[in-house]
Amino acid sequence: MAGAALAHVAQLWSLLDEMAENEPQAYRRLLRQQAARAERLRAPPEPHLCLRARPAGAAGGPLFINVCSWKRVPAPQGPAEPTPVSAGPLEEAAGGGDPYSIIDIAYNPDVLQRGDENPEKMEQLIHLTLKFVEERCNLTLTSLYTVESFKLKGSLEAMQQRLKGKQMPTPQLGQSTKKELTLDELLHAIEAEDSSSAPALLKEEGVAQSRAHLIKEIASTETPEELSTPVYEMITLKDANKKPLKIELRVELPKVSSVSECDLRISEDDIIIEVPEKYKLQLDLPELVDEETTTAVFNKGQRVLFVTAPVAKPDP
């Protein structure tokens, strides 16, 4: 098995070398994407708030729910879509002789930020969290809960270990594996080694909805729906001698109301504009540009993003 794994690693390096030689722009873009993905996967969960609840009819102590922010947990695919959540194990503890239970729940940072900005959304999220804990731990909680003044019950290290402790099985590259894998398949196999346990999806219950349908388990390799490609126009402005001066990009974003929703990344040879759950645009630039002096302006009235990128000066 070790020999097969080494063979696939060698194949991956060979494919990367070939890409670097024949498609340098795609190679650099791949490296940036993998670096960003690795940074997201390495980011540890952080405490956000702590709930105090009590199991109904239980003689034991209270249940503390650490609600955490974790970039590894994906954001919802849309406003009406279920909310992915990751959870650690339920543990019994004792502090100062008083017994209590503790569980850690993690959401994507964007989910918690929307709750901080809208108390109604936060109340809804807390409601879903309590229901999820009931389903997951086979508990019945009383209707009363308290948002504690502290963000975390217990130590930071213990919380992070509980959430990160359960890993998915590493894909087996045995004899049954295809002899030849594509670069994309190899990258997905390697990425799966860093995947956490599969998140669940939470969805608000309707009046007639059964509790059994509150949670739907998904695989961590499940890919989200493709984002829309916005309408755009890119032109290169030149001087009287036909020398390129700057590149102007106009992108129509009718579903965007604020520039804070946009994620803009630019390098000397490409540009990526992404709006979570709405749009994604990735373009190779016709000229090398100076990313340090590139500017972007969002017109809220027209809902149009204007990007101006000066062409890079040649090295002397």
Side-chain angles (χ1 to χ4, degrees), residues 6 16 19 33 53 91 99 129 135 165 187 191 202 217 224 269:
L6 289 174
L16 288 173
M19 175 184 282
Q33 291 172 346
E91 292 190 355
T129 300
E135 295 283 347
L187 289 171
E191 179 185 342
L202 303 187
E217 296 292 334
D269 54 24

Side-chain angles (χ1 to χ4, degrees), residues 246-249 264 266 271 290-298 305-310:
K246 60 183 177 180
I247 296 172
E248 292 187 347
L249 176 64
L264 172 64
I266 187 166
I271 185 170
D290 182 359
E291 60 262 43
E292 298 297 329
T293 58
T294 295
T295 59
V297 177
F298 181 69
L305 179 67
F306 297 92
V307 180
T308 302

Side-chain angles (χ1 to χ4, degrees), residues 82-84 132 199-203 212-219 222:
T83 301
F132 172 70
L201 292 179
L202 303 187
K203 192 166 186 177
H213 297 96
L214 174 64
I215 302 173
K216 175 186 176 185
E217 296 292 334
I218 63 170
E222 192 172 319

Side-chain angles (χ1 to χ4, degrees), residues 164-313:
K164 297 195 296 184
K166 185 178 178 181
Q167 300 293 324
M168 291 186 66
T170 301
Q172 299 297 318
L173 299 177
Q175 295 181 351
S176 61
T177 307
K178 293 187 294 183
K179 293 183 179 179
E180 295 295 331
L181 298 177
T182 65
L183 175 61
D184 188 59
E185 289 170 332
L186 283 166
L187 289 171
H188 276 80
I190 291 174
E191 179 185 342
E193 295 182 4
D194 292 324
S195 297
S196 63
S197 55
L201 292 179
L202 303 187
K203 192 166 186 177
E204 182 64 38
E205 293 179 89
V207 175
Q209 186 178 6
S210 167
R211 283 170 54 103
H213 297 96
L214 174 64
I215 302 173
K216 175 186 176 185
E217 296 292 334
I218 63 170
S220 61
T221 54
E222 192 172 319
T223 56
E225 296 180 6
E226 279 195 28
L227 301 177
S228 300
T229 300
V231 176
Y232 69 92
E233 179 183 12
M234 183 166 58
I235 60 174
T236 302
L237 299 182
K238 303 178 180 180
D239 62 13
N241 298 320
K242 305 270 179 147
K243 179 182 177 182
L245 294 177
K246 60 183 177 180
I247 296 172
E248 292 187 347
L249 176 64
R250 181 182 185 276
V251 185
E252 298 180 12
L253 303 170
K255 298 179 182 178
V256 176
S257 58
S258 170
V259 69
S260 62
E261 300 179 53
C262 302
D263 180 16
L264 172 64
R265 302 187 294 279
I266 187 166
S267 70
E268 63 177 11
D269 54 24
D270 74 347
I271 185 170
I272 301 174
I273 300 171
E274 191 166 3
V275 181
E277 307 168 6
K278 297 176 183 177
Y279 301 110
K280 183 172 183 179
L281 178 65
Q282 183 168 339
L283 299 171
D284 290 329
L285 299 174
E287 305 286 344
L288 297 180
V289 301
D290 182 359
E291 60 262 43
E292 298 297 329
T293 58
T294 295
T295 59
V297 177
F298 181 69
N299 187 310
K300 295 183 68 173
Q302 299 179 11
R303 301 202 174 188
V304 174
L305 179 67
F306 297 92
V307 180
T308 302
V311 172
K313 296 179 181 179

Side-chain angles (χ1 to χ4, degrees), residues 41-60:
L41 290 175
R42 285 196 304 265
E46 298 291 340
H48 191 83
L49 63 85
C50 181
L51 301 174
R52 180 190 180 105
R54 181 172 290 276

Side-chain angles (χ1 to χ4, degrees), residues 43-49 67-70 112 152 156 159-160 163:
E46 298 291 340
H48 191 83
L49 63 85
V67 179
C68 306
S69 170
W70 200 7
L112 295 171
L152 180 69
L156 179 65
M159 175 272 287
Q160 293 176 345
L163 281 173

